[in-house]
Amino acid sequence: MAKTAIRLASVIALIVLGVFAFAGAHPANIASAKLKVAPDGKFELRVRFDLLAFLLETPPDQTLDAAMNALLNGTDDNLSAALQAGDSNFRAGLRISTDTGACQLDAYHFPTLSELRELARANSKQRLPVMMSVVASGQLASGARKTWATYPETLGMVIMTTEMPYTEPFSEPVPPGSTSSPFGIPSRKEIETVRQQVNRHQATTRPPAPTSPVKPAPPRSIDPVRAGAAERAPVSITPRVPPTAPTVSVTRVVAFGRFMSMGFRHIVPEGLDHILFVLGLFLLSTKFRDLAKQITAFTVAHSLTLALSLYGVIQLPSRIVEPLIALSIVFVAVENILTTELKPWRIYIVFGFGLVHGLGFASALRDLGLAHGQFLSALVGFNLGVECGQLAVVALAFCLVGWFRHAKTYRPYVVLPGSCLIAAVAAFWTIQRLR
């Protein structure tokens, strides 16, 4: 039995030590894209992404801080050469297509050396990641009825929002190396029909011109609450494209599934810090009921702050949230070392840490320009994916050592070495993220 315990402890040690290979990785920011099409068929595409990771030709979640800092601190000649190569790679990987053929770009702008240096100086306290944008514009082919986009695979996941004339914007995750879903293009006739509806609507809601001078009303007291509500009240509602117009080809169920997949990937394999936190909870919980309580508290807490942050109620900068997440991992791991059983306060501590982790999850969604009508579905889908990722981590841990957790040698050979290694990695992250 002792030899088996040693082998199992060695497996955990190797897994956690492997994390050190990625210990220098910064929290990855997901790329976002917005395609806006005008009534005359002209379009503008704006893609915001981690520039330094792209220049290093690695996905953001696999790029190390040291490599990016070396590039940013290097000579202007080296950085200019990297930007030039990145420009060529981005052009080669970006395509706007329609059912009648590919679209030609009339204008295209890739970040320049001066723009990069200026942004780095302005954000000297938090140099990484460097999020910059490529802006491209062109004309959709005449008669095209559907359009879609392809992005450089190195960008990783891209959250694309498409906005057609007089239609609600639609957002969806585009996996690396994939194309976005075909999006219906309203015809000129349909657009003209809606424009006439808008004109008639404005004509009927426009107040009639006075036929005689109107005497000013005597001054009276104003209720500031009612006055503020009146200022915020919408003046008119713009009609949308009629139901006969083409809509998004992909169903909302498919988009929901992609947000769910995105949440899963945010844990496995990209969320190393969240994985270590869940493993820290697992190591001290010899009873499944105790682990279930902690996971439930963690889930409720991060779901709450994720929702509040996404809707703009609570927001904290990543330079505060990320070190706190690392510290929460250190706390759980150290508590595993100092105590032999769960204390009553553990579930409340886990709930508090869950609130912090929820703010970290929100950073993956908050700045992506999601369509307002999809906030709820994106939130639910992403959160379900996160939960599935956490359950996958727990299931794997049970397969490796769960059957052994009631043995006397479980604590000295599994809990203590595993918690020490988790604490060491998280302490390294804390120092790194406080710089």
Side-chain angles (χ1 to χ4, degrees), residues 217-221:
R220 58 188 179 88
S221 60

Side-chain angles (χ1 to χ4, degrees), residues 221-238:
S221 60
I222 299 177
D223 183 347
V225 175
R226 293 183 178 178
E231 291 176 0
R232 293 190 299 269
V235 176
S236 62
I237 301 175
T238 303

Side-chain angles (χ1 to χ4, degrees), residues 213-219:
V214 179
K215 295 181 180 180

